Amino acid sequence: MAAHDPVPVEEIDYDYEGLPPNISLPANLAAGAFAGIAVSLHASRIGDLWEHTVMYPFDAIKTRMQVLNPSPSAVYTGISNAARQISSTEGILSLWRGISSVVIGAGPAHAVYFATYEAVKQAMGGNKDNEHHPLAAATSGACATIASDALMNPFDVIKQRMQVHGSVYPNITHCAKSVFRNEGFRAFYVSYPTTLCMTVPFTAIQFTAYESLSKVLNPSKKYDPATHIAAGGLAGAFAAGLTTPLDVIKTLLQTRGTARDLEIRKAKGLWEAAKIIKRRDGAGGFFRGLRPRIITTMPSTAICWASYEMAKAYFIRHADDV
């Protein structure tokens, strides 16, 4: 070989579905945190993120539709009826009451969520052998949920307390102080076991569905925002529909402090709340707010997955610098 001839360089073809083998565990964690922070930063800018701006009113409507034994002025026949009634009687901005609680908690919660997911997935071998690992995906998603929900649960309680009809809290600080003063610290976590009973299967279903849909929609495993958004949205809708009954129970527990009904105010856990719903509304009561829940969830999961995959693609492109 002549001295001036270039030395051939072997190209390494990294599998997109897993971070490269020379990426350390801290970099795996950073990918999750990067995605979570990206979601949070977009959420803080009006119009940038459907999840926390345009879609928030659907979440507020869902909460109101799930409240058991509401006052006559808070009975709604559907999404459009609820939107018109709330806007005309309370003002259109009331549909965004409590949004600041979500914005404040979402950044740290998303960072913990994806960082935990990537760490557990790597530990279980979910990034190896270019194969589909549904057990690793489901377990990683469940662990991620347990960690992030521990952080987010108080913010969710405050959000729902401000969303319900007749809420008397002017801001989230006043709401937090009032709940703590009148009901104690336990009020922020009385729904946590129920939340986990809902979100662990929700996340396991979502992650498994996302991984499976990605294999079908993106067989080449290349970075493709369109397929990541589609797979994320469909996976979220499927998981949301299946876990709606537990979401209804969670809403009862998180808003019990605002109820006029003594039995609801004294509900202490998942089974007691479930019995109240079953006795008063029958099986159909567990699916109150199904449509707005799905409508809210689809763009949320689509954007979260798109942000996460963007972070993974970034670290792959800069693998040599890590």
Side-chain angles (χ1 to χ4, degrees), residues 220-272:
S220 64
K221 300 181 181 178
K222 302 296 184 182
Y223 175 60
D224 183 359
T227 59
H228 299 323
I229 290 172
L234 290 172
F238 184 60
L242 291 179
T243 57
T244 293
L246 288 163
D247 188 53
V248 175
I249 295 172
K250 177 178 73 75
T251 297
L252 185 148
L253 292 172
Q254 291 191 165
T255 61
R256 64 176 190 168
T258 64
R260 299 177 181 177
D261 190 304
L262 187 60
E263 184 181 27
I264 295 175
R265 290 184 68 90
K266 291 185 176 181
K268 295 180 179 179
L270 188 157
W271 296 113
E272 190 171 339

Side-chain angles (χ1 to χ4, degrees), residues 136-150:
T139 304
S140 301
C143 291
T145 297
I146 292 171
S148 64
D149 279 353

Side-chain angles (χ1 to χ4, degrees), residues 61-265:
I61 291 170
K62 180 215 70 170
T63 295
R64 294 202 181 198
M65 292 179 73
Q66 288 180 343
V67 169
L68 197 64
N69 193 27
S71 63
S73 58
V75 176
Y76 313 110
T77 59
I79 298 175
S80 58
N81 171 260
R84 288 194 302 268
Q85 189 169 326
I86 295 169
S87 298
S88 62
T89 59
E90 303 173 44
I92 192 169
L93 291 181
S94 63
L95 291 168
W96 277 271
R97 282 178 56 85
I99 190 172
S100 55
S101 179
V102 178
V103 171
I104 292 171
H110 275 102
V112 169
Y113 184 88
F114 281 113
T116 303
Y117 168 72
E118 195 63 50
V120 175
K121 185 180 179 183
Q122 176 171 293
M124 293 189 65
N127 292 330
K128 294 180 179 178
D129 303 326
N130 194 27
E131 297 290 336
H132 183 33
H133 299 278
L135 178 60
T139 304
S140 301
C143 291
T145 297
I146 292 171
S148 64
D149 279 353
L151 176 62
M152 192 65 190
N153 209 80
F155 294 98
D156 197 47
V157 171
I158 293 169
K159 179 201 73 172
Q160 289 202 307
R161 290 292 182 98
M162 296 191 70
Q163 286 177 329
V164 296
H165 175 74
S167 176
V168 296
Y169 309 112
N171 53 60
I172 63 172
T173 302
H174 179 269
C175 179
K177 289 181 178 178
S178 179
V179 172
F180 180 75
R181 182 173 60 252
N182 297 327
E183 303 172 50
F185 182 76
R186 185 175 180 273
F188 293 108
Y189 282 96
V190 66
S191 63
Y192 183 57
T194 302
T195 298
L196 291 183
C197 286
M198 176 189 72
T199 55
V200 169
F202 173 91
T203 309
I205 293 168
Q206 181 203 161
F207 274 63
T208 304
Y210 177 79
E211 296 279 353
S212 300
L213 286 166
S214 293
K215 298 295 180 182
V216 176
L217 298 176
N218 189 18
S220 64
K221 300 181 181 178
K222 302 296 184 182
Y223 175 60
D224 183 359
T227 59
H228 299 323
I229 290 172
L234 290 172
F238 184 60
L242 291 179
T243 57
T244 293
L246 288 163
D247 188 53
V248 175
I249 295 172
K250 177 178 73 75
T251 297
L252 185 148
L253 292 172
Q254 291 191 165
T255 61
R256 64 176 190 168
T258 64
R260 299 177 181 177
D261 190 304
L262 187 60
E263 184 181 27
I264 295 175
R265 290 184 68 90

